[in-house]
Amino acid sequence: MPSVREVAAMIDHSLLRPELTRAEVLAGLATASEYATASVCVRPADVAPAVAELRGSGVVVGTVVGFPHGGATTTTKVRETAELVALGAGEIDMVVDIGRLRDGDAGYVEEQIAAVVAAADGRPVKVILENAYLSDEQKVAGCAASERAGAAYVKTSTGFAAGGATAEDIALMRRSVSPRVGVKAAGGVRTLDALLTLHDLGATRFGATTTTAILDDLARRLASRDE
């Protein structure tokens, strides 16, 4: 079983719910810092305060582009990315143009992702496919377009659609990209067992809101094993 530190280093602690207050965001940032998660994924308006709050913690501030529907123009997504990078965002999770992907317009999808990757200026871009709306063929096409465009990860979901990460989707996505592209599971990853199952299938990053519960559960299991 992995250590608490190893699992924390795979979690993007998610603070994306629209109703979160500033106090709730600050509490979430404190959680990410306490557990040394890979990153914290915040709403665009929270990037600057999150960067200031987490400076020196080692926790990367990530954020979202075209979220949650993906239907913004390429120009809008590029400008949003550039602004957020200038504010200190270290990772970008962008929502693919879901409708264009369903249309079979892989060329447009690839070009848009590539434009966001360029605007991110070397920072990892994770492409959210929103699998709940896609056929397996469309998921594979989205993964291929993401890799060709230079994305660092393909990601299952925003967490705001009807469905989230599934074992079947993680296995499919892992098969659909080369080893240089990671797979991020998001949407419904609320327990340690769910995380470990998806990790075994190839996911290496996880969007989670229940970070404390997941990591505390792991700590208890490890302590019980050592008794």
Side-chain angles (χ1 to χ4, degrees):
M1 188 174 293
S3 69
V4 172
R5 181 178 295 274
E6 287 170 335
V7 172
M10 295 188 286
I11 292 177
D12 296 340
H13 186 53
S14 179
L15 298 170
L16 295 172
R17 295 200 319 272
E19 77 277 13
L20 290 177
T21 64
R22 178 162 175 77
E24 289 168 331
V25 170
L26 289 172
L29 298 178
T31 295
S33 181
E34 176 185 354
Y35 287 94
T37 59
S39 81
V40 59
C41 194
V42 299
R43 301 168 302 196
D46 297 322
V47 168
V51 168
E53 190 71 21
L54 291 175
R55 186 170 286 114
S57 70
V59 177
V60 174
V61 175
T63 190
V64 289
V65 165
F67 194 87
H69 299 126
T73 65
T74 299
T75 298
T76 298
K77 289 182 179 179
V78 165
R79 288 177 176 170
E80 188 176 17
T81 301
E83 178 185 7
L84 295 170
V85 164
L87 290 172
E91 295 184 347
I92 299 294
D93 289 30
M94 70 158 287
V95 185
V96 75
D97 190 311
I98 302 162
R100 289 292 189 104
L101 184 54
R102 294 185 70 210
D103 281 337
D105 195 350
Y108 177 90
V109 170
E110 181 180 341
E111 289 174 6
Q112 185 175 85
I113 297 168
V116 170
V117 168
D121 196 23
R123 293 154 185 83
V125 172
K126 307 180 199 123
V127 177
I128 305 171
L129 300 179
E130 202 66 290
N131 287 343
Y133 301 131
L134 305 177
S135 67
D136 283 356
E137 182 180 1
Q138 290 160 353
K139 295 166 195 174
V140 171
C143 286
S146 299
E147 178 157 14
R148 289 193 302 266
Y153 289 85
V154 287
K155 178 177 170 181
T156 57
S157 10
T158 61
F160 289 85
T166 67
E168 293 78 12
D169 278 349
I170 294 298
L172 176 65
M173 293 167 77
R174 183 63 274 166
R175 293 194 303 269
S176 300
V177 292
S178 74
R180 79 164 192 85
V181 178
V183 176
K184 177 175 173 178
V189 185
R190 298 188 179 93
T191 67
L192 175 62
D193 288 332
L195 184 150
L196 293 176
T197 295
L198 297 178
H199 181 255
D200 287 344
L201 292 168
T204 53
R205 290 288 280 272
F206 301 89
T209 58
T210 57
T211 300
T212 298
I214 289 170
L215 296 176
D216 287 354
D217 184 14
L218 177 56
R220 284 191 296 270
R221 295 191 198 189
L222 292 173
S224 175
R225 185 188 66 179
D226 294 339
E227 287 177 355

